[in-house]
Amino acid sequence: MSEAVSRRCAMRLLGAMGVALGTGGCVAAVPPGGLPRTAPATAAAAPAEAPPGATARIDALLERLTLEEKTTLLHGGRDPAPLGQAGYLPGVPRLGIPALRLADGPAGVRVAEPATALPAPVMLASAFDPALAREYGRVVGREGRALGQDVLLSPMANLIRTPYAGRNFETFAEDPRLTADLVAEMVRGIQDEGLIATVKHFALGNQEQGRDTVDVVAAEQTLHETELRGFEAAVGAGAGAVMGAYNKVNGTYACENKPLLDELLRGQWGFGGWVMSDWDAAHSTVAAIGAGLDMEMPGGTHFGGPLQEAVRGGSVRVDAVDLAVRRILATMDRFGLLAAHPPARPARDAAAGARVARRVATAGAVLLHNEHATLPLTGAAARSIAVIGPTGQVPFVSGGGSAHVVPDKALSPLDAIRQRAGNGSTVRHALGEDVYGRPLPANLLTPAAGLDDRRVEAGRNWSHEGEFTLAADDEWTLLVHYAGKRPSVRLDGEELFPVRQGVAEYFAGGLLGRAPDGLAVRRRTLALTAGTHRLAVFAEGGDKGGRFRLRHTTKATRAADLAEAVKTAAAARSVVLFAYEDATEGSDRTSLGLPGGQARLIEAVAAANPRTTVVLNTSSSTTMPWLSRTGAVLQMYYPGQEGAAATADILFGDVDPGGRLTQTFPADEHATPVAGDPLRYPGVGGRQEYTEGIHVGHRWYDAQQVVPLFPFGHGLSYTTWEYEKLSVRPGRDGLRVEFTVRNTGRRKGTEVAQVYVGPSAELKLDQPVRALAGYRRLTLGPGEAQQVVLDVDARTLSSWDPERHAWVLGSGRREVFAGRSSRELHLTAKAVVKSR
Ligand code: BGC
C-alpha cells in the first residue's frame, strides 16, 4: 500500500488528529482529539515530570553522540552480564548513558532469579479494585529495580476478545472500562518505584494464532470504544514506554503503523515516551522509523547497520534518528537514569511481595457455583477431605510464556489444605490424572536400559537402540523430561520430540512444560499396536552435561488413576478436585473444555461424592458440561506463589471469595462472541475482523441475547446481599448514582457492586445494550449496610463518532442499572444526561 493510501485509510479508521469538538446538539465530552491529555477518569498521582534542565541535557548529549552510538540506543544487543531478562541495550558509557535492562512481565519480574510470582493479571482484575492494582504494580516495580532492571514489559492492555486466546490470563478483562482503570493503576504502581512501565501490545494483539502476520481490521468507533481504552489510560497515567504488537492493524504492521504510533498515540494522546517493537516484530527500517517506532527489540536487524546505512544514503533523515533517541533519553532522564547519581536500587522485600500475592489471590478468587453449602468447609466437612488432581500436589503458579515467573517458593495445595485442616483431620490425595508419567516398564525393553533419570556427562554422548515390545494395542503418551539438550527419541524411525521452530518451541506451558524438579517436559500421544517396535534414544552431554528420563502413561494407567481417585473421593466427607488448563503465549487454546480426561474425572469423582468442589487453575473461560453434578466451583486462575494458601483461605471460609468474573463464561462453544464467524476468529486468509463492532465480551451477549453459563461480573459470596434505594441525578460531569448495599447474611463478606448504563436514544451511533459505568468493592459485616456513591463521568456516557473523530456525549434519557453482575441487576432508574 502506498503511503498516501495508507494515510487515507488511517484517517478513516483511526480518526484524524486534532479534530475539534463535536458541535450542534451533541457536545464532545472530552478535549480536542478525543482524549484528556492529562489523566483519565481514574487519575490518581500525576506521572513524574521531566526533571529541570532535561531538554538542554539531552540536546548536549545528542550533539556528542555519533551516528553509531545513536543507533545503539535504538535497538537491543547482547548483554555481557545477563540477569535472565528479555532485553538489553548497552548504553553509551563514554557519555554516561547507562545500559538498560528490560524484563517481563505482567505477573512478576521474569529473570533468572526467583521473584514474587503474583497471581495472573486476570485474577488481579477479578478483584475490581484499582487500588490493589497499584499495590501489585508497586511490588513488581520495586522488585524489578531490586533485580537490576530498568524497564518492565508490562502491563498487557489487550482486551480478552476471544476465549481461545492463549494470553487471556496475562491481561485483565473483556471490558474496556475495567481494563483502562486497572492498567492505569498498574502503570502508576510500577513507576512509583522508579521502574519504567511498558504497556503492550499496541494494538489488537488479542490472539496468538497467526499473530506474526494476521491483519486485524477494526473500524474507528470500535477501536476507540474497545481495545484502545486500556492503552489510552496507560498513556494518561504516564507510561514511559509502549510496545508495538506483532500483528497488522488495518493493513499495516503495528510496529510501522503511522496512524497508530504517530497520529493517535503521539498526536491525539500526547504520548511522550518511546515505542519499542515486540520481540522480532519490527519489519523495516525506513517505514518503521518514519511511522514512529523508536526501538527495535531484541536485536538490530533493521535499526542497527541498516539504519546507519539509511541515514548515510539519505532515505532516513538524521532528525528522525535524533527524535527517537531523544524520546528514549528523555524517558530515562525522567526516571533519573541519566543523573550523575541515579536512584539507588532497593533491596527486594520478598515478605511484602508474598503478602500482596496472597491478598490478590483471595481478592480475585471467584466462587462460580456453590450448592447445598458445599463451601466453606466447616465442621465434619473440614475434617475428612480428599484432594484430587495433579495440581492438588504440584502447585500451578503461573502461566506459560513470557509472563512466567520463577517463584521464591510455592506450597502445594495439598500441604496448604493439610495445614489448615489441622491435626485430627484426614486429608488424602489421589492423582486422578498423571501429567508427568511413570517410568517405562523395564520388561518392555530389550536390551534392558535405564531410561529413568539418566545423566550424560559433559562432552559425552549416550545412546540406546533396541526393541520395545507391547502385549496389546494401546494409546500411549510418551514423555521426555530433560535438562540440557533435548534427547532424540525415535520410535520406529520417527522422532517423537522434534525441536520445532518459533515461539511454540520456546514456550511450553506454565505447568506441563516443566516437571516439579525443574526438568523440561515434552509429550507425545500415539496409538501403538501390539508387537515389537524399534526404540532409539540419543542424548548429547554438550558443554554442561545433561540429564533425562523417559516416562509414559497408557489407557491402563489412566484407568487405574481414575479408579484410585474415585475410591479416595468416596471414602472422604468432602472432595476438593483441582483441575487445570495450561495456556501459554505462542498458541491459542483449541477447545474451551478442560484438557485430557479431566471432564471424565470430575464426572466420576462427583458421582462418587457430590460434595465435590472443583478448583479451576485455568487461564480464561471454560465450558462445564459437568457443572450440575458438582457441589461448588472455585475459579482460581493462575494464582501465583501464594495460591495454595489463598485457595485454602477461601475453601475454609477464612476469607470471603472476593472476585467477580471479568469475562463471560459461555454455555458452550457455539455460544461465544467468536463462534460461527471465522473472519472474527481466527481470521480468514490472514485477515481478521472485529465484525462484532463495539459489542465485545458481555456487550455481545447482551446484544445477541445469548444466555451465558456465568455472566460478566458474576461471583458468589458466603454471605447474602441486597441492593436498595437507587437514585440517579445529574452530577458534576455526568451522572451521580447512589444506592445502598446491605449484607443480609450472618458472615462478614465482600461484594462488588456494579453499575451499568443503557444507550442514549439521541445518539445515532451503535451503543452497548448496557455498558459498565462503575463499580465499588466493599467489605461489610453481618447486617451492615453502606451507601455507594458513584460518579459516572462524561467519557463513560459518550460514544466515539467516526464522522467527527471525537467522543460525543450520549445525552437525553439514559437507563441506569445497579446490581451484582451484568445479568443480576435488580435496581434500575432513569436520568437525563444534559449536553453542556
Ligand atoms: C512477547 C512480549 C514479551 C517479549 C519479551 C514477546 O514474545 O509478546 O509480551 O514482552 O516477548 O519477552
Side-chain angles (χ1 to χ4, degrees):
M1 198 190 292
S2 77
E3 198 170 308
V5 175
S6 101
R7 187 170 301 132
R8 262 202 319 278
C9 283
M11 298 295 242
R12 190 160 53 78
L13 294 177
L14 289 170
M17 72 191 237
V19 180
L21 291 169
T23 50
C26 308
V27 176
V30 290
L35 159 121
R37 274 165 202 262
T38 45
T42 50
E49 296 297 332
T55 314
R57 204 159 38 244
I58 289 160
D59 285 346
L61 283 172
L62 275 167
E63 259 174 41
R64 297 178 64 196
L65 283 163
T66 65
L67 178 61
E68 288 72 17
E69 287 170 336
K70 286 175 186 170
T71 58
T72 60
L73 295 170
L74 302 186
H75 66 84
R78 243 189 92 242
D79 188 347
L83 302 170
Q85 81 280 358
Y88 173 79
L89 283 95
V92 182
R94 102 180 156 89
L95 297 177
I97 301 174
L100 272 187
R101 288 194 169 82
L102 303 85
D104 285 302
V109 182
R110 186 172 76 105
V111 288
E113 271 183 62
T116 304
L118 287 148
V122 69
M123 190 164 206
L124 166 69
S126 308
F128 280 74
D129 187 352
L132 193 61
R134 188 154 189 162
E135 281 190 61
Y136 183 108
R138 282 190 177 141
V139 170
V140 250
R142 177 174 177 147
E143 295 211 344
R145 295 274 305 139
L147 292 165
Q149 305 303 311
D150 310 290
V151 180
L152 190 76
L153 307 172
S154 164
M156 172 165 168
N158 305 101
L159 287 188
I160 297 179
R161 175 179 175 244
T162 159
Y164 296 94
R167 302 182 79 170
N168 284 352
F169 66 93
E170 273 187 68
T171 185
F172 297 93
E174 67 189 15
D175 186 82
R177 160 70 198 262
L178 181 61
T179 300
D181 293 349
L182 299 171
V183 164
E185 287 309 308
M186 187 144 155
V187 164
R188 291 190 178 100
I190 294 166
Q191 298 194 160
D192 282 345
E193 301 293 327
L195 198 66
I196 300 171
T198 311
V199 63
K200 67 190 187 183
H201 311 84
F202 191 54
L204 302 178
N206 309 113
Q207 70 184 54
E208 294 304 281
Q209 196 171 329
R211 73 174 188 181
D212 294 335
T213 51
V214 67
D215 180 15
V216 192
V217 175
E220 181 179 327
Q221 185 190 354
T222 300
L223 271 170
H224 282 274
E225 292 187 24
T226 63
E227 171 81 353
L228 294 181
R229 288 288 304 273
F231 293 95
E232 183 186 355
V235 171
V242 168
M243 182 191 288
Y246 284 113
N247 48 281
K248 294 176 187 154
V249 173
N250 291 335
T252 307
Y253 276 113
C255 288
E256 54 188 51
N257 195 310
K258 201 172 169 67
L260 262 189
L261 305 184
D262 192 39
E263 294 164 19
L264 177 76
L265 182 67
R266 297 204 167 94
Q268 289 190 34
W269 293 350
F271 175 62
W274 88 85
V275 180
M276 72 180 79
S277 72
D278 198 342
W279 269 226
D280 295 314
H283 291 269
S284 61
T285 303
V286 180
I289 196 149
L293 183 72
D294 303 306
M295 183 186 278
E296 178 191 7
M297 290 304 291
T301 313
H302 304 286
F303 279 21
L307 181 55
Q308 293 169 22
E309 278 160 36
V311 172
R312 290 193 196 103
S315 53
V316 170
R317 290 172 48 151
V318 77
D319 297 3
V321 171
D322 286 358
L323 185 58
V325 170
R326 182 181 291 282
R327 288 172 182 146
I328 295 163
L329 292 181
T331 311
M332 289 174 71
D333 200 33
R334 191 183 130 202
F335 285 78
L337 301 180
L338 298 183
H341 302 289
R345 292 190 183 274
R348 270 196 73 205
D349 187 347
R355 277 195 300 276
V356 173
R358 182 155 173 181
R359 206 141 53 76
V360 173
T362 52
V366 189
L367 181 59
L368 294 174
H369 171 79
N370 192 16
E371 292 295 311
H372 315 299
T374 301
L375 290 183
L377 300 174
T378 53
R383 286 197 293 278
S384 161
I385 304 171
V387 174
I388 311 280
T391 41
Q393 193 175 45
V394 176
F396 198 157
V397 173
S398 63
S402 60
H404 191 76
V405 180
V406 183
D408 283 313
K409 59 178 171 47
L411 190 68
S412 84
L414 178 62
D415 288 340
I417 290 171
R418 280 204 171 119
Q419 280 173 19
R420 176 57 180 79
N423 294 338
S425 301
T426 311
V427 181
R428 295 222 165 83
H429 178 248
L431 210 47
E433 189 194 3
D434 181 359
V435 293
Y436 299 114
R438 312 131 138 86
L440 283 183
N443 62 347
L444 304 186
L445 297 169
T446 324
L451 295 177
D452 204 55
D453 218 354
R454 173 142 303 272
R455 283 169 202 271
V456 187
E457 279 175 42
R460 296 282 181 88
N461 296 335
W462 186 88
S463 64
H464 163 86
E465 250 178 83
E467 289 178 349
F468 179 55
T469 309
L470 305 184
D473 294 357
D474 205 343
E475 189 186 86
W476 279 67
T477 296
L478 286 159
L479 302 93
V480 64
H481 297 198
Y482 64 97
K485 200 164 172 217
R486 186 185 310 162
S488 156
V489 181
R490 291 182 167 270
L491 191 68
D492 296 329
E494 189 196 343
E495 175 58 59
L496 293 186
F497 309 107
V499 176
R500 287 180 291 168
Q501 292 302 308
V503 77
E505 170 60 31
Y506 186 47
F507 295 135
L511 173 80
L512 301 176
R514 287 209 179 271
D517 63 356
L519 265 61
V521 178
R522 294 291 184 277
R523 341 177 134 61
R524 181 76 183 270
T525 297
L526 304 154
L528 295 184
T529 49
T532 299
H533 298 265
R534 277 177 302 115
L535 179 71
V537 182
F538 178 71
E540 289 175 54
D543 292 345
K544 296 187 181 151
R547 189 177 153 199
F548 77 92
R549 49 193 177 232
L550 211 56
R551 298 263 164 134
H552 83 293
T553 61
T554 61
K555 264 193 190 150
T557 69
R558 288 190 277 275
D561 287 337
L562 183 71
E564 179 64 22
V566 168
K567 204 169 108 199
T568 311
R573 171 78 196 207
S574 359
V575 178
V576 183
L577 189 158
F578 285 81
Y580 69 89
E581 173 264 317
D582 193 9
T584 181
E585 173 180 349
S587 45
D588 280 349
R589 302 160 71 196
T590 51
S591 153
L592 301 185
L594 291 171
Q598 294 186 92
R600 207 156 34 109
L601 175 67
I602 295 173
E603 301 266 5
V605 164
N609 188 336
R611 293 187 58 84
T612 292
T613 296
V614 177
V615 177
L616 292 170
N617 291 127
T618 46
S619 65
S620 190
S621 55
T622 35
T623 50
M624 304 181 196
W626 36 262
L627 180 70
S628 61
R629 252 88 73 205
T630 64
V633 180
L634 176 63
Q635 177 67 44
M636 290 299 291
Y637 295 106
Y638 302 151
Q641 66 177 46
E642 304 302 319
T647 305
D649 287 342
I650 303 289
L651 290 174
F652 291 93
D654 301 335
V655 183
D656 200 37
R660 303 294 183 261
L661 288 182
T662 66
Q663 62 197 303
T664 312
F665 277 36
D668 64 59
E669 302 212 24
H670 307 294
T672 79
V674 296
D677 184 354
L679 188 57
R680 203 172 279 179
Y681 177 80
V684 178
R687 177 185 162 98
Q688 192 219 48
E689 245 184 76
Y690 264 60
T691 50
E692 72 274 44
I694 61 160
H695 304 286
V696 170
H698 59 97
R699 299 170 174 189
W700 178 86
Y701 286 85
D702 288 344
Q704 300 297 320
Q705 299 182 340
V706 172
V707 178
L709 182 62
F710 298 115
F712 175 87
H714 169 75
L716 304 172
S717 157
Y718 291 146
T719 185
T720 49
W721 300 92
E722 257 169 38
Y723 284 63
E724 302 157 4
K725 296 191 236 145
L726 174 66
S727 75
V728 186
R729 58 192 156 88
R732 205 163 34 93
D733 188 27
L735 294 175
R736 171 155 285 202
V737 181
E738 294 180 49
F739 55 97
T740 301
V741 177
R742 186 180 302 280
N743 178 348
T744 51
R746 272 182 265 139
R747 315 169 53 105
K748 179 173 157 190
T750 297
E751 177 66 331
V752 176
Q754 300 160 44
V755 171
Y756 296 78
V757 61
S760 146
E762 288 181 9
L763 205 56
K764 301 295 173 229
L765 288 168
D766 199 13
Q767 295 167 70
V769 175
R770 277 183 298 276
L772 180 68
Y775 48 87
R776 177 70 46 79
R777 181 183 176 84
L778 8 115
T779 297
L780 298 178
E784 237 187 294
Q786 187 175 317
Q787 195 191 25
V788 176
V789 182
L790 279 172
D791 285 320
V792 180
D793 63 6
R795 165 63 74 88
T796 306
L797 298 165
S798 300
S799 295
W800 182 268
D801 185 338
E803 285 185 3
R804 296 168 188 226
H805 310 297
W807 292 99
V808 276
L809 189 67
S811 52
R813 188 174 281 267
R814 309 277 303 251
E815 202 167 359
V816 173
F817 310 81
R820 306 205 63 235
S821 80
S822 62
R823 291 288 174 99
E824 227 183 305
L825 297 165
H826 297 304
L827 302 181
T828 60
K830 290 202 171 71
V832 173
V833 175
K834 294 205 183 85
S835 45
R836 280 200 275 155

